[in-house]
Amino acid sequence: MKSETLKTLMGYIAGLIFGLGLAISGMTDPARVLGFLDVAGAWDPTLMFVLGGAVITNFIGYRLVLRRPNPVFGERFQLPTRQDLDGRLIGGAALFGIGWGLSGYCPGPAFASIAGLTGPLLAMLVAMVVGWFLARAIPARG
């Protein structure tokens, strides 16, 4: 198999593992996310434990993987180099958080939940796609 095909296959496998993790942890249910945000009511801490597990796994994984001179299915690691904050990043993060809080879905669980498509999920997916196109229309400075 060609290197590019293996790289793509590994991306799909990683996405499948991520989606399965979301489904097994119950994070495809927007009520869990909204329950986490309801700190004054019936607070559900499940999301905190899922996020904590992800941070710990990622922390350890990065340290192990970056010891290698290059990725298994690539020529070099592709890590972000920008460290500045700009209006596009802050505005996008704010819109992402507002959308997540209003719908209970972030993109990963939304795509993992497509099989059980509901009206609110469809509205969130449409808004997300419209957001992608709007973000491309706003010129970046720099």
Side-chain angles (χ1 to χ4, degrees):
M1 249 188 224
K2 288 174 61 177
S3 155
E4 197 63 33
T5 304
L6 281 173
K7 185 176 167 184
T8 302
L9 178 63
M10 291 300 110
Y12 281 116
I13 290 172
L16 177 64
I17 292 169
F18 177 69
L20 286 172
L22 289 172
I24 290 168
S25 66
M27 290 300 113
T28 57
D29 180 5
R32 290 246 190 208
V33 175
L34 296 173
F36 176 76
L37 297 173
D38 187 10
V39 292
W43 185 63
D44 180 0
T46 309
L47 179 60
M48 181 173 52
F49 292 109
V50 172
L51 289 174
V55 168
I56 291 168
T57 304
N58 197 23
F59 180 82
I60 294 168
Y62 258 83
R63 266 120 198 103
L64 294 174
V65 167
L66 292 179
R67 288 182 183 169
R68 299 180 51 84
N70 57 319
V72 176
F73 299 110
E75 296 174 15
R76 64 182 176 81
F77 290 106
Q78 298 177 5
L79 300 172
T81 56
R82 285 187 58 178
Q83 296 182 352
D84 61 323
L85 299 176
D86 63 359
R88 286 174 54 96
L89 176 64
I90 293 169
L95 285 173
F96 175 87
I98 291 167
W100 189 13
L102 288 174
S103 70
Y105 286 110
C106 72
F111 283 116
S113 299
I114 282 181
L117 190 64
T118 63
L121 175 58
L122 179 63
M124 181 271 172
L125 290 170
V126 168
M128 185 173 64
V129 171
V130 168
W132 285 337
F133 285 105
L134 287 175
R136 287 178 170 236
I138 299 172
R141 288 190 230 161

